[in-house]
Each structure stands twice: as structure tokens, then as C-alpha cells.
Amino acid sequence: MNTPMQPSLEGQPAQRVDVVVPVLNEREMLPRFLSRIQALDLPLNLIFVDNGSTDGTLEFLALQQGAKADIQIIAHGRNMGYGRSLADGLRASTAARVIIIDADCEYPPEALPDLLAALELSPMVYASRFRGAKRIAMAPFRRWGNRGLTGFFNLLYGQHLTDLYTGMKALRRTAFEGLTFTRNGFEHVMELSAKVARRGVRIGEVPVAYAPRQTGRSKMRHIPEFLKAVYCLLYYRRSRHE
Ligand SMILES: Nc1nc2c(ncn2[C@@H]2O[C@H](COP(=O)(O)OP(=O)(O)O)[C@@H](O)[C@H]2O)c(=O)[nH]1
Ligand SMILES: [Mg+2]
């Protein structure tokens, strides 16, 4: 029997979960991502938000959609920002539980059941790369930038996170329903976290086995993104923003 302290997906009705996947030029990684996430055999609705890819990503996704019904595609046509991709994906979602995951397989799709189990206890759950058993390879400025922003976020918003900038999260619809997200860049992460935290939500965490990408490279420009994140960190603290 399940007790509240030992959440399990077993025995629950198979409720559909929406999975928001931001994609920018991930044609090479998508076949692996799709086969791994589909192998989970969970009732998932995949919402891909293509942010103006030019490498055949969109065409590949359209073919997959033709073959399977549980794929939704939002096409931006041009790069409108990572944050805008997530905001549009969340807006298009309808399920009671939503997962956000990058398409580049750095976050293992196999961690999805862990996040859903933790979502039974917290309205929002982040997959932390720094709680895992292994120390992960990460450029120092990136590690310390994330650590600094996470620390200040914890201080200002009363949280206990270790990895604010993780690309894998789980959200109950009730945690973000009614909020509007206006930040188009990576600072969307701060906007989302801040607005949800300001509602009194304590964000949960689970460890994730992160595997830095083997092919392609991060498309993030770190210094401007860091500065925008600091601005948002302070801006959303001042008053309640819905
Ligand atoms: N960097 C970046 N990634 C985007 C954008 N739009 C969508 N993405 C997707 O967002 C995810 C995270 O991007 P990535 O460059 O791997 O960031 P990192 O993992 O933090 O280094 C990937 O699945 C990208 O394909 C964008 O405008 N910029
Ligand atoms: Mg990545």
C-alpha cells in the first residue's frame, strides 16, 4: 500500500503527463531522445517547441508526429528565445502534471518517474545535477554562476535548492496556473522559479544523473544571461508579480 511518505506511481490511474521539450537544432539528438522517452511506456504527450531550427529538426518532428499521435509541435519559425519556448510550451499544456526536459539527452529521460513520484510531495520539483552520486564535469564559470544564483535565490525566496538552472523540472498545473511568463531568454528560469516561490510553494529536488553532451555544444551565452538573471532575481522579489 502507498503511504504519503513513499510515493509510487504504481496503482495510480494512468493520467496523461505533458512533456515540454524546447528544441533548437537538435536533429542529431532527437532520435535517441525519442526512443528513450517512448521506451518509458508512460502516458506522455510530448510538446516540442521548435525555436527556429535550421538543421531539419522541425521536418524530423513532423514525420514523427505523422507516425504517432502523442506528439504536439509548436514552431516559432525564428529564434524567439529559450524562455519563450518554455512559456509557450507551458501555455499549450493541459495535463495536471507537466515535465520540462531538454532534447539533448543531457538529462536522462529515464529520470522522469522519479520526478513524478517526487511531485506527489511537492508542487514543483527540480532535477539537481549536484545531488547525484558523481561530481559532474562543468566549466567553472558555469558551475559557480549557477551556484551563486541558486544561493541568492534560496536566500531571497526561502528555498533550499542546489541547482536552479537545471533543464529538467516537474510541475503540478496548480503551481503555475494563472501566472504569465514574459521573459524570453534563459532568465525565464528565474521568473518561473521566483513567481512560483512567491506563491508560497517550497520547490522540491531529486538527484539526476547528468551526462554532459558528447556531440554539438551548449548554445547559451553565459555572461549576459547571468546579468539578466540577477536583475530578475531582484525584480520579482520586490512585489508580487502574477
Ligand atoms: N541555448 C539555447 N537552447 C535552446 C534555445 N531554444 C531552445 N533550446 C533548447 O534548450 C535546451 C537547452 O539548451 P543547451 O544549449 O543545451 O543549454 P545547456 O544545456 O544549459 O548548455 C536544448 O534542448 C536546446 O535545443 C535557444 O534559444 N538557445
Ligand atoms: Mg544542454
Side-chain angles (χ1 to χ4, degrees):
M1 205 181 90
N2 295 341
T3 67
M5 293 311 291
Q6 290 171 322
S8 161
L9 297 180
E10 283 167 39
Q12 288 184 11
Q15 279 175 344
R16 183 175 54 86
V17 176
D18 284 338
V19 182
V20 173
V21 193
V23 279
L24 174 62
N25 296 333
E26 299 287 1
R27 171 65 185 87
E28 206 177 333
M29 293 307 286
L30 274 173
R32 207 173 316 162
F33 175 80
L34 269 172
S35 66
R36 284 173 64 177
I37 203 158
Q38 284 168 343
L40 293 175
D41 205 20
L42 290 170
L44 305 178
N45 174 49
L46 305 177
I47 305 175
F48 287 96
V49 188
D50 181 74
N51 196 21
S53 296
T54 52
D55 69 342
T57 288
L58 195 54
E59 295 75 5
F60 175 79
L61 286 174
L63 276 175
Q64 302 303 311
Q65 191 184 34
K68 288 203 80 168
D70 53 3
I71 292 182
Q72 227 173 304
I73 302 172
I74 300 172
H76 278 166
R78 65 183 171 86
N79 191 322
M80 296 173 87
Y82 168 81
R84 177 65 180 273
S85 302
L86 292 185
D88 286 352
L90 288 176
R91 196 171 322 114
S93 71
T94 52
R97 293 172 299 170
V98 181
I99 297 278
I100 293 172
I101 182 170
D102 289 350
D104 55 14
C105 289
E106 289 187 312
Y107 300 84
E110 294 76 19
L112 219 136
D114 280 357
L115 267 96
L116 292 177
L119 205 56
E120 297 296 307
L121 299 177
S122 310
M124 180 145 98
V125 178
Y126 287 9
S128 170
R129 293 166 287 182
F130 305 116
R131 278 188 192 264
K134 278 198 291 184
R135 183 180 161 91
I136 57 159
M138 188 181 275
F141 64 94
R142 210 175 155 166
R143 180 185 296 273
W144 290 104
N146 186 1
R147 189 169 277 193
L149 289 172
T150 303
F152 278 119
F153 177 76
N154 287 340
L155 229 116
L156 294 182
Y157 294 87
Q159 303 290 324
H160 295 81
L161 297 175
T162 60
D163 188 5
L164 188 63
Y165 274 78
T166 173
M168 190 172 188
K169 305 182 169 85
L171 304 87
R172 287 188 208 156
R173 171 160 303 284
T174 49
F176 67 91
E177 211 161 36
L179 295 176
T180 45
F181 302 112
T182 59
R183 303 280 162 186
N184 291 340
F186 277 91
E187 76 278 13
H188 162 88
V189 171
M190 193 61 86
E191 182 187 20
L192 168 71
S193 306
K195 285 184 170 174
V196 170
R198 290 281 281 159
R199 284 184 153 180
V201 167
R202 167 132 183 205
I203 304 169
E205 264 189 347
V206 293
V208 72
Y210 175 74
R213 62 161 80 216
Q214 305 294 314
T215 56
R217 62 179 186 87
S218 167
K219 301 165 203 95
M220 188 169 170
R221 288 163 56 244
H222 297 278
I223 292 170
E225 296 306 340
F226 180 82
L227 296 176
K228 281 191 275 178
V230 171
Y231 172 80
C232 289
L233 180 69
L234 302 172
Y235 179 76
Y236 292 112
R237 186 68 193 90
R238 276 189 324 176
S239 55
R240 212 178 145 97
H241 301 266
E242 293 287 314

